[in-house]
Amino acid sequence: MPSPIPVERFLPRDLSPSIDLRPCSSPLELSRRKPGSIFPTACSKHLAVPRLPPRLAWCSIDWEQVRVLEPLGSGGFGSVYRATYRGETVALKKVKRCSKNRLASRQSFWAELNAASLRHPHVVRVLAASACCPGEPGSPGTIIMEYTGNSTLHQRIYGRGPPLERDCCLRYARHVADGLCFLHRGGVVHLDLKPANVLLAPGDLCKIGDFGCSQRLREGGEDPCCSQLRHLGGTYTHRAPELLRGEPVTVKADIYSYGVTLWQMVTRELPYTGDRQCVLYAVVAYDLRPEIGQTFRCTEAGRALGDIVQSCWVPRPEDRPDTDQILQRLDVADCLTSSVLLTSPPDSPQGPGSGGGSCQPDSWSYT
């Protein structure tokens, strides 16, 4: 039976959008270890190295071409380093050996390789991989990816810089939706989409990364070998309610996470505070969602984005839009923004150069 305790008891409203508050599944955190003290630069030619399956043989690592430069960060299942590979600056991820849950760490490594053959401007590219980790016996493996810098959408949203302006928010939202569209067409579900897993690359491009929770869907549904793991991993604040109930994985789980991510971009708040189990229960039993506030109501473009967010996190997966529909709705929101900028007179509360009103044409209202 549903709990008689009111939902308000679960979630205090004193949201604190601090860059250090991350109710996540261990996003990358900066490492304090010294460069060169952790990871060997080469693998012995005489060492027995586990091999990748034939379908992935093309991306096997040439260890003589690897040079590790410095640590970038570490998370729940791995540590990331800036390195060079065949003369190119790359990001090298060493998947950790997890003594408490070895199956989960192995699953994380193989899940990362779901993106190995994918090439898209808004998806982090896997360059090479190995089922070994020199100097780390028992580690599931190593992955070499394109280097995008060490900035994430999470840091951009909650950092000390100014809030995302409307044009920037719409552009980032389109980048992420475009990357998701590509993944879903290829049968890959990310299952841990959140601002901390969206990297900001040179050129102000968003790239979806960290595929450690991803699954590749077979024709007609999820891979049966992954069904027993569908409850594991991910970030509880962004995880779709059907997954929390143990239901099968579909691409619509990513759409739910996209809605929460877009809400964060606009509001600059964190989805929930309070006890994890209470949040999970309230999301499933009460259809609890982050609050749609005044920020989404002050302009036509804001209302259009609010409609997108709310449609993405409806309880029934089949009622959520797909990525093509989201991209179409983002185009509408973009047109509404352009219309305000082009048609509003200079002295209008909605027009360029206005000092009045709570909503500015190039930014959201944070009141």
Side-chain angles (χ1 to χ4, degrees):
M1 294 180 60
S3 169
I5 304 175
V7 176
E8 289 76 12
R9 290 281 301 279
F10 293 154
L11 302 170
R13 290 183 176 271
D14 54 336
L15 297 178
S16 175
S18 165
I19 198 168
D20 296 320
L21 288 178
R22 299 173 181 173
C24 301
S25 59
S26 301
L28 293 181
E29 297 177 355
L30 293 181
S31 170
R32 293 183 174 84
R33 298 186 180 182
K34 296 181 179 180
S37 62
I38 309 171
F39 201 91
T41 58
C43 185
S44 171
K45 294 182 179 179
H46 305 292
L47 184 65
V49 177
R51 294 184 179 276
L52 297 173
R55 66 183 177 84
L56 294 173
W58 63 269
C59 68
S60 296
I61 295 176
D62 179 358
W63 290 104
E64 293 183 352
Q65 298 293 321
V66 176
R67 181 176 173 231
V68 176
L69 302 178
E70 62 179 344
L72 295 177
S74 62
F77 287 112
S79 299
V80 180
Y81 303 82
R82 189 169 68 89
T84 60
Y85 184 63
R86 293 177 175 169
E88 179 182 353
T89 301
V90 297
L92 186 148
K93 182 172 184 178
K94 175 183 68 173
V95 181
K96 293 179 180 178
R97 175 186 180 183
C98 184
S99 57
K100 293 183 178 179
N101 194 337
R102 295 183 181 181
L103 178 61
S105 62
R106 288 199 301 271
Q107 173 70 10
S108 174
F109 169 72
W110 291 109
E112 290 273 12
L113 298 186
N114 284 331
S117 60
L118 304 180
R119 299 290 183 271
H120 190 271
H122 300 304
V123 175
V124 174
R125 187 159 50 103
V126 174
L127 303 173
S130 173
C132 81
C133 188
E136 296 288 339
S139 169
T142 307
I143 301 169
I144 295 177
M145 301 163 287
E146 67 171 310
Y147 179 72
T148 62
N150 57 1
S151 178
T152 68
L153 182 57
H154 182 99
Q155 293 167 338
R156 176 65 183 85
I157 294 171
Y158 300 116
R160 295 182 178 179
L164 294 179
E165 295 181 347
R166 283 195 308 213
D167 288 346
C168 182
C169 182
L170 286 166
R171 184 171 67 254
Y172 287 175
R174 188 177 289 106
H175 289 180
V176 178
D178 200 18
L180 271 186
C181 184
F182 173 76
L183 293 174
H184 292 173
R185 286 176 178 173
V188 175
V189 191
H190 189 277
L191 295 180
D192 197 18
L193 183 68
K194 60 186 177 184
N197 286 340
V198 176
L199 305 182
L200 294 183
D204 209 25
L205 295 177
C206 287
K207 289 179 177 278
I208 300 173
D210 198 343
F211 286 79
C213 294
S214 69
Q215 289 186 19
R216 185 175 287 277
L217 300 183
R218 289 184 175 178
E219 200 71 34
E222 66 179 316
D223 191 332
C225 70
C226 295
S227 61
Q228 62 179 331
L229 297 169
R230 62 175 174 239
H231 311 288
L232 304 176
T235 304
Y236 76 91
T237 53
H238 294 66
R239 200 151 178 81
E242 67 269 18
L243 301 186
L244 299 176
R245 289 192 293 264
E247 296 175 6
V249 170
T250 70
V251 296
K252 294 301 182 72
D254 282 347
I255 301 300
Y256 179 94
S257 305
Y258 177 85
V260 180
T261 299
L262 180 55
W263 178 90
Q264 289 178 270
M265 283 195 274
V266 175
T267 66
R268 212 183 191 189
E269 295 180 350
L270 295 172
Y272 308 107
T273 60
D275 180 79
R276 177 178 183 273
Q277 293 301 323
C278 290
V279 170
L280 296 180
Y281 183 80
V283 166
V284 173
Y286 292 98
D287 292 331
L288 182 73
R289 302 292 185 267
E291 183 177 357
I292 295 290
Q294 181 61 28
T295 309
F296 286 101
R297 301 189 182 104
C298 63
T299 64
E300 287 292 331
R303 285 189 284 273
L305 279 185
D307 290 342
I308 294 174
V309 168
Q310 289 182 299
S311 68
C312 287
W313 64 33
V314 296
R316 287 162 45 93
E318 56 269 29
D319 294 336
R320 298 171 198 154
D322 59 29
T323 49
D324 286 321
Q325 292 170 323
I326 290 174
L327 287 167
Q328 293 171 6
R329 296 184 187 184
L330 288 173
D331 287 339
V332 171
D334 197 14
C335 289
L336 291 171
T337 299
S338 301
S339 175
V340 169
L341 292 173
L342 291 172
T343 61
S344 297
D347 57 348
S348 167
Q350 294 293 329
S354 168
S358 61
C359 301
Q360 298 300 318
D362 59 347
S363 63
W364 303 107
S365 173
Y366 294 91
T367 58

